[in-house]
Amino acid sequence: MKYERMIDTHSLNSFVIIAESGSLTEAAKRMGITQPAVSQCLKQLEMQVGAQLVVRRTSPVRLTVAGHVLKQNADAILGELRRLNATVREAAEKGLVQCRLGFITSCAEVFGSKLIAALGHQTERLTLRSGLTSAMVAAFHNREIDVLVSDETLSGEENLERFVVLRDPMLLAVSRQQIEDEGYSLEGLAAHKPLIKYGRDASIGKLSEVVLRRMQILANVRYETDDTHTLMSFVRDGHGWAILTALCLAQTLHAVDGVYLLELGNSRHARTIQLIARKGEMGAIPGQIAALIKSIFDANIFPSLQARAQWLTEDLFVSGPETS
């Protein structure tokens, strides 16, 4: 099948100006180009549609039958395009769009409900999916979600905008049945008590392995799970110790009685939570969501965390500036 080139909007707009100007000279003035350029534009359009559109050498410019048909339809098409542009701008400015959020599980549980309450009035349809980092990254690549909030940076990919939400420090959790006081030794824990660990399918599980290697700690892993609630219940019941992050802890603050929450390596180990979206597709919404998450954390999550572990200070959650 022979490829048929479509009329572009610039040509349509130029023809409408010619038809409404009365002369090619006047059309040239309105378009800010020379009269020969207008003539050439008209000639190319006639060649493309295969019909004469203007009766030559008449003043004012007179349209042929084909020209009248094109002018009438061009007005309608350009009008629809102007309305479309206005709708898109309004959506970008006001957030009146469908917004599909993808959060790693810890962020979904900690921020999800309050975030939906804050954003609901700004969107026509708001959905939230959650899961492991790998699943959420796949959903983002498959365009099943518009905004990704996770510990994955997608650093090698272009045409994305990224907002650093917060630094999420790692910490230790151990039952008071396991140690007598908070004056613990990590080496002693690792030597005498089993580690309850996130599985390797969870990014926090992989990060825990990296941290233990850096600290040259050889741990006896007896239990693995991808669920924070299960992990903390095992810790609380005295089955071992665990490494998790502050946000993971925030998922289970209601169930940490009888658990020591201890600093790990002077809090130098952490993951960074970022918000990622495709450039130019969601207007100001990604930045607004990142700011909302930060405000929810500052107002609601951090005070609850610090009440359970006073050594957690605000500066431990501060990461670099927003980037794009």
Side-chain angles (χ1 to χ4, degrees):
M1 179 182 295
K2 183 180 178 181
Y3 171 72
E4 185 175 345
R5 184 184 168 201
M6 302 292 288
I7 303 174
D8 60 71
T9 54
H10 175 71
S11 297
L12 279 180
N13 191 57
S14 297
F15 179 71
V16 169
I17 293 174
I18 292 170
E20 293 177 349
S21 296
S23 71
L24 298 186
T25 301
E26 180 61 27
K29 289 180 181 179
R30 291 179 57 181
M31 296 166 66
I33 58 178
T34 64
Q35 191 270 335
V38 173
S39 298
Q40 182 63 24
C41 178
L42 177 60
K43 183 178 179 180
Q44 289 177 348
L45 182 58
E46 289 179 327
M47 290 177 62
Q48 187 175 350
V49 300
Q52 184 177 341
L53 300 173
V54 173
V55 178
R56 300 295 196 273
R57 293 181 294 275
T58 62
S59 183
V61 167
R62 197 156 51 86
L63 302 182
T64 64
V65 173
H68 280 292
V69 171
L70 181 60
K71 170 67 165 59
Q72 181 179 4
N73 285 275
D75 285 337
I77 292 169
L78 293 172
E80 285 299 320
L81 286 174
R82 292 187 188 99
R83 282 188 286 274
L84 176 60
N85 284 338
T87 300
V88 171
R89 283 196 301 270
E90 182 181 10
E93 292 169 0
K94 296 184 178 180
L96 298 178
V97 293
Q98 171 178 285
C99 185
R100 300 169 299 174
L101 307 175
F103 280 36
I104 55 174
T105 303
S106 55
C107 289
E109 290 195 23
V110 173
F111 301 115
S113 179
K114 290 181 173 59
L115 190 64
I116 286 177
L119 285 174
H121 69 285
Q122 296 183 10
T123 57
E124 293 178 350
R125 183 181 179 187
L126 180 66
T127 60
L128 188 151
R129 289 178 56 179
S130 64
L132 297 178
T133 299
S134 57
M136 291 300 95
V137 169
F140 184 75
H141 284 149
N142 293 334
R143 285 189 168 269
E144 296 167 6
I145 57 176
D146 306 304
V147 173
L148 172 66
V149 178
S150 79
D151 50 2
E152 173 58 60
T153 64
L154 302 182
S155 57
E157 301 186 27
E158 299 179 351
N159 298 318
L160 299 177
E161 52 184 351
R162 299 173 176 86
F163 301 84
V164 174
V165 176
L166 56 85
R167 180 181 185 269
D168 189 16
M170 302 185 77
L171 52 85
L172 282 173
V174 58
S175 170
R176 299 190 185 194
Q177 300 174 33
Q178 299 281 307
I179 57 175
E180 304 222 345
D181 56 47
E182 297 185 41
Y184 74 102
S185 161
L186 180 56
E187 291 79 4
L189 274 178
H192 299 100
K193 309 296 181 183
L195 170 64
I196 305 165
K197 180 180 167 295
Y198 286 96
R200 293 185 179 181
D201 289 338
S203 62
I204 191 69
K206 297 175 184 175
L207 182 57
S208 298
E209 292 179 351
V210 171
V211 168
L212 289 172
R213 284 199 299 271
R214 288 174 181 167
M215 300 181 73
Q216 298 183 332
I217 299 295
L218 184 62
N220 173 27
V221 180
R222 183 173 296 177
Y223 310 103
E224 286 193 8
T225 179
D226 291 332
D227 180 72
T228 298
H229 300 278
T230 301
L231 180 138
M232 286 300 292
S233 68
F234 273 48
V235 170
R236 186 184 63 245
D237 293 342
H239 296 298
W241 57 284
I243 294 176
L244 67 163
T245 72
L247 284 184
C248 293
L249 173 63
Q251 295 177 253
T252 59
L253 279 177
H254 62 285
V256 296
D257 289 341
V259 175
Y260 281 130
L261 303 169
L262 309 170
E263 193 171 17
L264 176 65
N266 295 319
S267 296
R268 67 181 183 274
H269 305 291
R271 63 177 180 172
T272 299
I273 303 299
Q274 292 199 40
L275 182 148
I276 301 175
R278 299 175 190 87
K279 282 186 178 179
E281 292 193 8
M282 300 293 294
I285 290 179
Q288 292 173 3
I289 295 174
L292 274 171
I293 293 174
K294 289 179 181 179
S295 66
I296 292 170
F297 178 80
D298 292 341
N300 303 103
I301 310 306
F302 174 72
S304 298
L305 285 171
Q306 194 175 51
R308 293 289 185 169
Q310 295 182 359
W311 55 268
L312 283 171
T313 56
E314 291 183 8
D315 61 292
L316 294 181
F317 297 90
V318 177
S319 191
E322 295 181 357
T323 60
S324 60

